[in-house]
Amino acid sequence: MKREMTGAEMVLQALKDHGVQHVFGYPGGAVLPIYDEIIQQDDITHILVRHEQGAGHAAEGYARSTGKPGVVLVTSGPGATNMVTALTDAMLDSIPLVCITGQVPTHLIGNDAFQECDTVGITRPCTKHNWLVRRIEDLPRVLHEAFYVATSGRPGPVVVDIPKDIQFATGEYEGPNNIAHKTYRPRLKGDMSAIRQAVELIASARRPVLYTGGGVINSGPAASQLLREFVELTGIPITSTLMGLGAYPASGKSWLGMLGMHGTYEANMAMHDCDVMIAIGARFDDRITGRLDAFSPGSRRIHIDIDPSSINKTVPVDLPIIGDVAHVLEDMVRIWRSSSLKIDQSAMKAWTGQIDTWRARNSLAYRPSEDFIMPQYAIQRLYEHTKSRNTIITTEVGQHQMWAAQFYGFEAPNRWLTSGGLGTMGYGMPAAIGAQVANPDALVIDIAGDASILMNIQEMSTATQYGLPVKVFILNNQYMGMVRQWQQLLHGNRLSHSYTESLPDFVKLAEAYGWHGIAVDKPADLDDAIEEMLASPKAVIFDCRVANLANCFPMIPSGKAHNEMLLPDEANDEAVAKAISKEGKALV
Amino acid sequence: MNAQNINAPSAYFMAEVSEKLETHTLSVLVDNEPGVLARVIGLFSGRGYNIDSLTVSETEHEKHLSRITIVTTGTPQVIEQIRHQLERLVPVHRVIDLTVEAHRNNQDKPLERELALVKVAGTGEKRLEALRLADAFRATVIDATTEHFVFEITGRTNKVEQFISIMGPLGLIEVSRTGVAALQRGGKAL
Ligand SMILES: Cc1ncc(C[n+]2csc(CCOP(=O)(O)OP(=O)(O)O)c2C)c(N)n1
């Protein structure tokens, strides 16, 4: 059914037709017609942020915690440029976002008009696709395509740039039903003969390992369910990237912990020594592989991914399977069940025995203290107090993020929202706001660092306005801890500008925004204080003063291989100072 | 362009890559929509791939299809990456590695031609020599005064390059080249 309406009305209608309930945004001259429609309807709730970057990360938090696309509305020029970090973040972590930007009217484009910028030019490399809509006739189709492209295949952010005159123009609107995209049709089903070969290869393994990533989460809850089934069936030990935590439960008996630079010793050693590696929705990122030419030297590799460009990008694989994780796993589980295939049990016993000896190195150990709160201990206590609740954890970027990944046990997908690919400080609080909007009954906690939290601190005001009781748990070490750690490793412990001077009084800051503030510096007070935080109906800043100079271990030093980890019990000052070779120093 | 990047697919890759570099010709069918060329070029510059030659033109007007022909150099792994990265762009219909197709059919190369306009100024013996050589290369004169010629030459890239370098000492003052257009040999369309 076609209907006459204005461009601004089309935007709202398309959002409704795609089931959108919340939009994160910030107004300005070039989007006023759309804002004028927003206030005249009730179906879609607009959440006013305090900075467009906050809108972007909030929409990411919304998307990651629900699997639905996050929607953002911002104005031209500075509104659009403020979105660039969030778009890039969503691009690298494959998060579906639909970002609508206002643009100066078409006749002014190219004139350096007020608040004009080349939005599609600027956002081209940091979106999956983008459109500048120059004709009202194109607007409905582009809006529908935007949702389709953002959410299908490997998800990602898209931008629809709409000049102001197009928002005022009238045209015919048609719903999303009859829209088939001309070119973009990602493949969902895997090739059956490749899947059969994969199953046979797995059955012949003696030292198999599953290496899973964010693709499992992106594929949807069914993928996590099937993954669990497959692990149950085969007994294969499983590790995950930072992005994939929660797909397999941390309490599961095949769980090795996270792998990579700050992953566990057993996960990294299993990757190094395995004979068959099954990579699922993971992309062999440099934080995972360590030194490439020493990466898992004896393994044959199966790689399941929806994006063909992920295959053989950095690490050659023997058996690629292009397809959606849930679709492929469904076939694998079915074939495995209907066959009499079985992994050699004595080989598996030897392999899990070997893994147990690695596990016994206790690579996450730290020295407890009665005087200072150790940051690892703080996360452990937070976990104990919140594990039985419906909890969503977001993070900022730094040591606290890695400690959260190491010490908080994730049992379900879409419960762990962190900026993995881009490593964006300032991600966590707006992401928590977005997650809380989508999950009003959940307990949403941003595990933060004292430096990162200041990067989008203005969003406290958003949480207050909408009564969102997010909890910000700051591991306050008064340093940019991760930077300090690298300076210690790489630069003779010369701590150039990594001390966070002049921090605010976080308790007073909380009060100033109408939040509740708590500060703790004694381990003995920690439990009660966490309970106080959880009992508060308000948003809370929890200023947890932790040991200042703790380092995050274990660690694969830059330029080293999986089997050259620096373990906490070996990491004395001298070992730390010498851990990275001259060549390794050039790496990030 | 960024040849050194080819050897470093990851920040962690320290060892020299000993894989041989190959030159491939890719044919990319795209929707002729605004910005599509910028997407392709941005992909190459952003990821540090080489562009040896690039040509683009609308080839099927009613369907709004354009064909971009790219000649690029890299290790086989990088060339496979380039193909997949191009396929990932939303307005891209198909990417065909014509070099791989040619090898599959036991041919050395796909059909490749480029056109160059070559301006040579001078008088006397050099001018005569330029005209004689142009004739030998089957270049045609498309503009002339008593002081200059503009030659049009068509052929494989190395023929065009040879002609241009021979004209160097004979008064070459300006060159414009189209870049490579390419098709697969034989009676079938891709
Ligand atoms: C926007 C941004 N700028 C700079 C960095 C580089 N960086 C990575 S971690 C870090 C320090 C973070 O300090 P803090 O938030 O206090 O966390 P900690 O490491 O102390 O837990 C910095 C500056 C970054 N990741 N993001």
Side-chain angles (χ1 to χ4, degrees):
Chain A
M1 201 187 65
K2 294 188 177 184
R3 275 190 291 149
E4 279 277 309
M5 57 178 86
T6 67
E9 287 171 327
M10 286 181 190
V11 170
L12 269 287
Q13 189 58 48
L15 295 184
K16 282 175 207 169
D17 287 349
H18 288 276
V20 174
Q21 289 169 315
H22 295 94
V23 173
F24 300 88
Y26 206 92
V31 279
L32 287 182
I34 301 175
Y35 271 87
D36 198 38
E37 291 304 322
I38 285 183
I39 200 167
Q40 299 183 49
Q41 55 84 53
D42 299 318
D43 298 330
I44 294 171
T45 306
H46 177 271
I47 308 288
L48 177 69
V49 295
R50 298 299 181 267
H51 183 298
E52 288 87 353
Q53 184 190 357
H57 295 319
E60 284 189 90
Y62 189 93
R64 287 192 206 215
S65 64
T66 60
K68 295 194 284 191
V71 180
V72 179
L73 174 60
V74 296
T75 192
S76 66
T81 55
N82 274 347
M83 266 300 292
V84 167
T85 301
L87 291 170
T88 311
D89 192 272
M91 186 70 180
L92 275 174
D93 284 347
S94 305
I95 307 302
L97 287 193
V98 175
C99 172
I100 292 166
T101 52
Q103 182 55 280
V104 301
T106 43
H107 70 275
L108 288 181
I109 290 178
N111 279 314
D112 301 320
F114 178 63
Q115 296 197 327
E116 179 186 359
C117 73
D118 177 5
T119 300
V120 286
I122 291 169
T123 62
R124 200 173 282 131
C126 61
T127 53
K128 190 172 165 189
H129 197 56
N130 61 16
W131 297 260
L132 167 63
V133 182
R134 288 173 168 276
R135 305 184 320 157
I136 185 73
E137 303 89 86
D138 295 334
L139 184 58
R141 175 181 55 79
V142 168
L143 288 166
H144 302 321
E145 277 185 20
F147 277 90
Y148 172 74
V149 170
T151 54
S152 20
R154 180 176 180 170
V158 299
V159 165
V160 181
D161 196 25
I162 313 177
K164 194 168 181 181
D165 54 328
I166 304 296
Q167 298 170 32
F168 279 123
T170 46
E172 281 196 339
Y173 177 84
E174 190 175 5
N177 295 333
N178 303 323
I179 308 283
H181 197 272
K182 261 200 285 188
T183 46
Y184 186 64
R185 274 185 219 99
R187 171 173 189 161
L188 297 178
K189 285 282 281 178
D191 177 70
M192 279 312 282
S193 75
I195 293 176
R196 270 193 207 96
Q197 278 179 49
V199 168
E200 275 162 31
L201 180 58
I202 294 167
S204 73
R206 301 182 69 77
R207 297 184 310 281
V209 69
L210 279 154
Y211 149 49
T212 60
V216 183
I217 313 278
N218 277 338
S219 176
S224 295
Q225 201 44 52
L226 287 157
L227 178 70
R228 291 163 189 223
E229 239 179 276
F230 190 69
V231 174
E232 190 65 35
L233 275 175
T234 58
I236 300 177
I238 174 169
T239 179
S240 162
T241 66
L242 183 74
M243 296 306 298
L245 296 177
Y248 183 81
S251 60
K253 66 177 193 302
S254 299
W255 181 237
L256 295 170
M258 179 175 78
L259 83 162
M261 184 174 269
H262 292 291
T264 65
Y265 186 62
E266 53 272 29
N268 286 328
M269 288 303 288
M271 287 289 280
H272 189 266
D273 280 12
C274 68
D275 69 340
V276 173
M277 177 188 298
I278 308 132
I280 309 182
R283 61 186 176 93
F284 296 93
D285 157 68
D286 54 70
R287 279 291 179 280
I288 293 306
T289 60
R291 187 186 172 115
L292 262 185
D293 57 358
F295 175 74
S296 191
S299 63
R300 306 195 54 197
R301 301 171 199 134
I302 300 163
H303 190 182
I304 304 168
D305 205 293
I306 199 158
D307 179 359
S309 76
S310 287
I311 309 284
N312 290 331
K313 184 162 73 176
T314 53
V315 171
V317 297
D318 303 277
L319 192 54
I321 302 173
I322 309 292
D324 166 57
V325 169
H327 283 77
V328 174
L329 277 178
E330 192 181 358
D331 287 332
M332 283 176 75
V333 167
R334 200 186 52 248
I335 293 173
W336 191 279
R337 277 194 201 285
S338 64
S339 72
S340 53
L341 292 170
K342 204 159 191 247
I343 301 176
D344 182 306
Q345 287 307 294
S346 68
M348 272 299 254
K349 214 163 155 222
W351 178 229
T352 46
Q354 172 64 65
I355 287 172
D356 284 341
T357 63
W358 289 326
R359 190 176 279 127
R361 284 302 309 267
N362 197 8
S363 64
L364 297 180
Y366 61 91
R367 208 167 294 137
S369 163
E370 285 184 8
D371 305 321
F372 309 109
I373 301 177
M374 293 304 286
Q376 299 94 327
Y377 177 72
I379 304 281
Q380 283 178 317
R381 294 318 300 159
L382 182 68
Y383 173 59
E384 288 304 324
H385 285 274
T386 57
K387 66 181 178 188
S388 55
R389 299 182 182 229
N390 173 17
T391 308
I392 297 173
I393 300 288
T394 75
T395 74
E396 308 290 334
V397 170
Q399 292 179 317
H400 62 275
Q401 177 189 30
M402 293 300 118
W403 283 318
Q406 292 173 335
F407 290 91
Y408 202 99
F410 295 95
E411 297 293 312
N414 307 102
R415 288 285 174 267
W416 163 245
L417 323 179
T418 194
S419 169
L422 195 63
T424 310
M425 291 168 72
Y427 170 84
M429 188 177 17
I433 288 173
Q436 188 80 76
V437 167
N439 305 271
D441 299 328
L443 168 65
V444 184
I445 305 175
D446 171 25
I447 296 178
D450 46 282
S452 296
I453 194 61
L454 292 179
M455 282 216 179
N456 271 319
I457 196 75
Q458 75 287 345
E459 297 308 327
M460 289 178 76
S461 175
T462 308
T464 306
Q465 179 176 347
Y466 296 95
L468 302 168
V470 296
K471 317 295 180 203
V472 174
F473 191 82
I474 305 174
L475 294 184
N476 184 350
N477 53 14
Q478 308 199 30
Y479 280 99
M480 299 172 196
M482 193 57 97
V483 172
R484 186 201 54 71
Q485 178 169 346
W486 278 60
Q487 288 171 331
Q488 190 183 356
L489 281 158
L490 298 169
H491 297 285
N493 209 25
R494 288 179 297 282
L495 305 185
S496 180
H497 298 274
S498 54
Y499 184 73
T500 31
E501 289 274 350
S502 313
L503 285 172
D505 177 332
F506 283 112
V507 172
K508 282 198 187 138
L509 184 70
E511 283 157 9
Y513 276 109
W515 290 32
H516 180 52
I518 302 171
V520 186
D521 58 7
K522 297 266 174 315
D525 300 335
L526 189 57
D527 286 300
D528 286 348
I530 291 175
E531 280 306 322
E532 181 187 336
M533 170 179 90
L534 298 178
S536 172
K538 288 188 178 182
V540 178
I541 283 196
F542 191 111
D543 182 5
C544 186
R545 305 285 179 82
V546 296
N548 283 6
L549 300 175
N551 281 333
C552 185
F553 291 116
M555 178 175 188
I556 305 178
S558 309
K560 294 284 172 75
H562 277 167
N563 60 349
E564 299 175 293
M565 288 200 90
L566 194 56
L567 293 166
D569 53 359
E570 299 163 351
N572 54 35
D573 284 352
E574 201 194 333
V576 168
K578 288 194 186 145
I580 297 182
S581 65
K582 208 167 129 247
E583 297 79 37
K585 284 192 183 177
L587 305 172
V588 288
Chain B
M1 222 167 272
N2 287 307
Q4 70 278 16
N5 285 2
I6 286 178
N7 293 333
S10 146
Y12 273 20
F13 212 78
M14 313 285 294
E16 284 283 302
V17 177
S18 51
E19 264 188 299
K20 278 248 298 277
L21 296 185
E22 295 179 2
T23 297
H24 283 230
T25 305
L26 308 179
S27 204
V28 188
L29 286 181
V30 298
D31 268 332
N32 186 14
E33 62 173 42
V36 64
L37 185 60
R39 284 180 210 286
V40 170
I41 292 173
L43 174 71
F44 274 74
S45 66
R47 292 186 183 264
Y49 305 144
N50 292 286
I51 300 179
D52 299 343
S53 160
L54 183 142
T55 62
V56 56
S57 184
E58 191 172 63
T59 48
E60 291 177 63
H61 183 65
E62 318 79 68
K63 291 196 202 154
H64 286 287
L65 283 183
S66 289
R67 186 186 282 248
I68 302 177
T69 306
I70 304 172
V71 182
T72 181
T73 303
T75 63
Q77 187 194 7
V78 167
I79 291 191
E80 186 190 288
Q81 254 303 294
I82 293 175
R83 187 160 64 79
H84 289 313
Q85 291 292 350
L86 284 167
E87 281 168 346
R88 212 152 82 109
L89 298 178
V90 168
V92 168
H93 286 253
R94 285 182 74 189
V95 182
I96 302 128
D97 187 329
L98 291 171
T99 305
V100 167
E101 294 296 323
H103 291 172
R104 186 174 297 153
N105 297 324
N106 290 320
Q107 293 149 3
D108 179 33
K109 276 185 147 207
L111 289 171
E112 291 178 359
R113 289 294 180 271
E114 76 171 295
L115 182 148
L117 303 181
V118 182
K119 188 177 282 186
V120 180
T123 52
E125 190 49 38
K126 280 188 176 172
R127 178 175 163 82
L128 284 177
E129 183 62 11
L131 195 59
R132 263 197 299 277
L133 283 164
D135 199 39
F137 274 83
R138 299 214 201 121
T140 52
V141 175
I142 58 170
D143 182 51
T145 62
T146 51
E147 266 102 50
H148 89 284
F149 290 119
V150 176
F151 298 114
E152 173 192 324
I153 179 165
T154 309
R156 294 263 292 266
T157 296
N158 55 6
K159 173 180 163 186
V160 171
E161 275 171 0
Q162 204 186 356
F163 181 69
I164 292 167
S165 84
I166 286 175
M167 288 297 140
L170 299 178
L172 177 79
I173 56 170
E174 207 173 358
V175 178
S176 172
R177 293 167 68 168
T178 57
V180 172
L183 283 180
Q184 196 186 17
R185 288 175 191 275
K188 274 188 281 176
L190 284 169

